[in-house]
Amino acid sequence: PPRSTLFPYTTLFRSGQERNILLGHKLAIGSGDRFANLYPLLTAQGVYEGQRAASDAKRVFILGRSAFAGAQRYGVTAWSGDILSDWLAYRRQIPAGLNYSLSGMPYWTTDIGGFFIGNPDDPAYRELFVRWFQYGAFCPIFRVHGTRTTNQNELWSYGPQAQQIMVSFDKLRYRLMPYIYSVAWMTTHDNYTPMRPLIMDFAGDRQAMDVGDQFLFGPAILVNPVTEPGTTSRRLYLPKARWYDFWSGAPVEGGRSIEAAAPLERIPLYVRAGSILPLGPAIEYTGEKPADPIELRVYRGADGHFTLYEDEGDTYHYEQGQYATIAFDWNEAARSLTIGPRQGSFTGMLAARSFRVVFVGGPEKTVHYSGQAVTVSAQP
């Protein structure tokens, strides 16, 4: 039988069966039957409040097998449990994560590759692992976990071809850190959600309402995971807007379904017109070096706005206002990008930096920025 969904484990083993030990018992709060599902919230609350009482030097992060309404207050990321290592389990993760996000819980993750017994030496499993890894790179939390027949789960355990593909997505995830961290600030400051079913951003598009296997990662990137084996394309719906192929920069008109190329080495990604997408330098871990220079991709075709957020990265000093923001505004009619004045400061902040502005499908320009507003024209 499946394990209890409570975290930490609250089960007894009797004759090979499991049951929730809260059920049928009187708890301090009342009936165990009534309050069993509340247990993860109170557990997370205890850990969060205990760590914060001890020190504010490090942020609380709790990886929970389950969560209850309000757990987002306590630094909880829920994962989808010990799932099977097969295509059906993988396909189910996408709508599961989107429904979870709709509940108001922003941080969700899955065991990339599934938990139960995958074989890195099996070509069929390697394909599944690669596709799952590509999807995982655009989840709020990006993580690999699970049991493997060889007890090996490193990227190089899956052979040179798979390793090359996965390393490329790993690098992309790290290059996206300025974007991801800014979206995390939107989540904290503006009650945003990083992983977004299409209905959240295209409520007036009836076709978008029924799409359960595509999602927006933040405001800009439309992610279209490949969930069938042996395929080199997938059918997907582009909501009503102008889009750009992330890989080629080619513009595509939305409001229709298309057949998108999806060779093993990539999944279809599209960026909405009006998006301003910051990408940092190649790094191997988040604190390796400052995000400088930043490649600032401007996807023309609609007015756009994005705010870059930065802070110390590991303390709660942002709660006392120690952080900095830089607003970017694209004016489609004037064909100009305004990099606004920096607001705020924090210990270790870069006083000056460079932006390599890439007008997708047009010119590129380098801007040296020291905190004052500057306007960049898209004219050659």
Side-chain angles (χ1 to χ4, degrees):
R3 291 177 177 170
S4 164
T5 58
L6 296 179
F7 176 78
Y9 299 115
T10 57
T11 53
L12 287 176
F13 295 83
R14 293 183 177 178
S15 303
Q17 300 295 312
E18 300 184 30
R19 69 180 182 86
N20 189 325
I21 63 174
L22 300 181
L23 302 182
H25 290 79
K26 177 76 172 178
L27 309 178
I29 196 174
S31 165
D33 291 12
R34 180 176 182 183
F35 292 105
N37 286 337
L38 193 61
Y39 184 89
L41 176 65
L42 300 181
T43 302
Q45 181 182 5
V47 173
Y48 177 87
E49 292 178 350
Q51 182 176 325
R52 292 216 57 179
S55 173
D56 262 5
K58 296 292 181 182
R59 296 173 188 171
V60 182
F61 178 81
I62 299 172
L63 186 61
R65 179 178 292 276
S66 65
F68 191 81
Q72 70 274 11
R73 297 194 298 269
Y74 304 124
V76 172
T77 290
W79 93 98
S80 57
D82 294 349
I83 50 180
L84 296 176
S85 299
D86 60 32
W87 288 91
L88 178 60
Y90 164 43
R91 281 193 291 272
R92 287 175 170 172
Q93 300 313 297
I94 302 166
L98 297 180
N99 282 326
Y100 185 88
S101 297
L102 282 169
S103 74
M105 311 284 276
Y107 292 107
W108 181 87
T109 183
T110 177
D111 289 351
I112 291 175
F115 180 81
F116 285 109
I117 314 300
N119 182 1
D121 295 328
D122 179 3
Y125 180 71
R126 288 181 178 181
E127 181 188 5
L128 171 63
F129 194 89
V130 166
R131 291 304 196 186
W132 209 321
F133 192 91
Q134 293 169 337
Y135 158 68
F138 298 95
C139 287
I141 303 296
F142 180 32
R143 52 182 281 280
V144 171
H145 181 64
T147 60
R148 305 293 178 251
T149 57
T150 60
N151 293 321
Q152 294 176 313
N153 205 20
E154 304 86 359
L155 300 191
W156 57 83
S157 303
Y158 293 84
Q161 182 190 20
Q163 179 185 356
Q164 182 179 17
I165 296 169
M166 291 189 289
V167 166
S168 70
F169 277 84
D170 189 62
K171 289 180 177 180
L172 176 58
R173 173 78 180 202
Y174 275 101
R175 286 208 64 203
L176 283 167
M177 282 307 301
Y179 173 74
I180 294 170
Y181 204 62
S182 298
V183 170
W185 173 243
M186 293 167 63
T187 301
T188 297
H189 189 255
D190 301 322
N191 303 314
Y192 195 70
T193 302
M195 191 177 192
R196 308 176 64 78
L198 301 188
I199 188 61
M200 294 185 78
D201 291 84
F202 299 95
D205 188 334
R206 293 189 62 84
Q207 285 185 259
M209 294 175 64
D210 297 324
V211 176
D213 63 349
Q214 303 170 228
F215 59 94
L216 281 168
F217 184 53
I221 304 173
L222 178 64
V223 183
N224 309 278
V226 177
T227 59
E228 297 292 339
T231 186
T232 57
S233 66
R234 71 148 288 176
R235 192 76 175 168
L236 60 90
Y237 178 69
L238 290 176
K240 295 175 181 177
R242 171 174 285 187
W243 298 87
Y244 289 81
D245 186 312
F246 175 83
W247 305 108
S248 68
V252 186
E253 292 301 322
R256 61 195 178 101
S257 296
I258 64 169
E259 191 72 21
L264 184 61
E265 64 270 17
R266 76 182 196 212
I267 61 172
L269 299 174
Y270 292 88
V271 183
R272 180 166 36 175
S275 296
I276 302 168
L277 186 64
L279 290 91
I283 55 175
E284 295 186 1
Y285 57 94
T286 55
E288 180 181 357
K289 57 186 177 182
D292 184 54
I294 284 180
E295 178 183 328
L296 206 57
R297 295 188 185 178
V298 180
Y299 292 84
R300 297 172 293 176
D303 290 342
H305 174 84
F306 189 79
T307 299
L308 180 71
Y309 171 86
E310 297 177 303
D311 63 20
E312 292 176 340
D314 59 356
T315 73
Y316 282 100
H317 292 162
Y318 69 88
E319 292 181 345
Q320 286 78 51
Q322 296 185 36
Y323 62 87
T325 59
I326 302 173
F328 306 113
D329 287 282
W330 166 249
N331 186 311
E332 178 68 18
R335 296 175 59 81
S336 66
L337 174 73
T338 299
I339 303 175
R342 181 169 47 225
Q343 303 292 329
S345 65
F346 60 93
T347 301
M349 182 186 76
L350 285 174
R353 69 192 322 152
S354 296
F355 292 108
R356 185 166 69 88
V357 181
V358 178
F359 297 102
V360 176
E364 301 180 11
K365 299 184 178 182
T366 297
V367 176
H368 300 290
Y369 179 81
S370 56
Q372 289 75 45
V374 60
T375 298
V376 188
S377 173
Q379 301 296 335

